[in-house]
Amino acid sequence: MNFNSHTDVVVAVAVALVNTLTAGESRGRPYAPPSGEERAAAVTRAVAPGASRSYEVSAEQADELAGVAEALRTVFESVAAGDIDAAAHHTNRLLAETDARPHLDRHDGEPWHVHFHGRGGTLAGDWAASCATGLAVVLGSELYDRLGVCTAPHCDRVYVDTSRNGTRRFCSTPCQNRVKTAAFRARNA
Ligand SMILES: [Zn+2]
């Protein structure tokens, strides 16, 4: 995609948080988010690709991020419904609520780069602020419509379309295959 690599990573973490922490349907089945210890472990996995060092997410932080994930989901749903104005308003609210603010950081021999920090100096607060900012960067770019909700039956997992031509419609290869198989069966019935 055309964003800088940090934005790509942060948007991928937003997708992972929404898909891990919000209830609904996933790949043809009902989906209930994990709770307790399992939730903390799932959130640890979800944020790992964007973390500069490995850490364990606590149960409290995971609970806090579950609330954030619900708010992030409304942004994906608004874009999928073609309501970019609503997506922008939801994102602005999240930026304000998370108190997102840029901060130049340098660690592990990397050059200076922008991180987003949030309220309270907590990991959950920083991730909430980073995810809100990542979605804001997408919505403010020419790729504003690249956030989506899976269009396969009985699936509402979200995705970011990083394909060149922007034709992605499914959360995953399994959902794409389910729809292809159904269409094939329908043609041959
Ligand atoms: Zn799907």
Side-chain angles (χ1 to χ4, degrees), residues 40-131:
V43 172
T44 297
R45 282 195 298 278
V47 302
S52 49
R53 59 194 164 77
S54 63
Y55 43 57
E56 299 272 315
V57 176
S58 71
E60 292 83 24
Q61 288 172 335
D63 291 349
E64 192 179 332
L65 284 170
V68 172
E70 293 290 347
L72 294 169
R73 170 176 276 284
T74 60
V75 177
F76 285 86
E77 287 176 346
S78 298
V79 174
D83 194 344
I84 306 300
D85 291 353
H89 294 313
H90 284 308
T91 303
N92 274 340
R93 194 177 317 141
L94 257 174
L95 288 170
E97 281 173 7
T98 60
D99 199 15
R101 56 188 189 279
H103 176 84
L104 277 165
D105 225 333
R106 184 169 63 175
H107 50 82
D108 304 317
E110 291 175 37
W112 287 103
H113 56 278
V114 179
H115 275 289
F116 284 86
H117 289 265
R119 211 189 295 282
T122 67
L123 180 144
D126 286 352
W127 271 116
S130 293
C131 290

Side-chain angles (χ1 to χ4, degrees), residues 25-28 149-159 169-176 178:
E25 293 179 303
S26 176
R27 304 181 184 188
V149 178
C150 188
T151 59
H154 299 293
C155 187
D156 61 8
R157 300 299 93 183
V158 305
Y159 62 83
R169 291 170 53 218
F170 306 108
C171 70
S172 59
T173 307
C175 274
Q176 185 176 20
R178 284 197 298 128

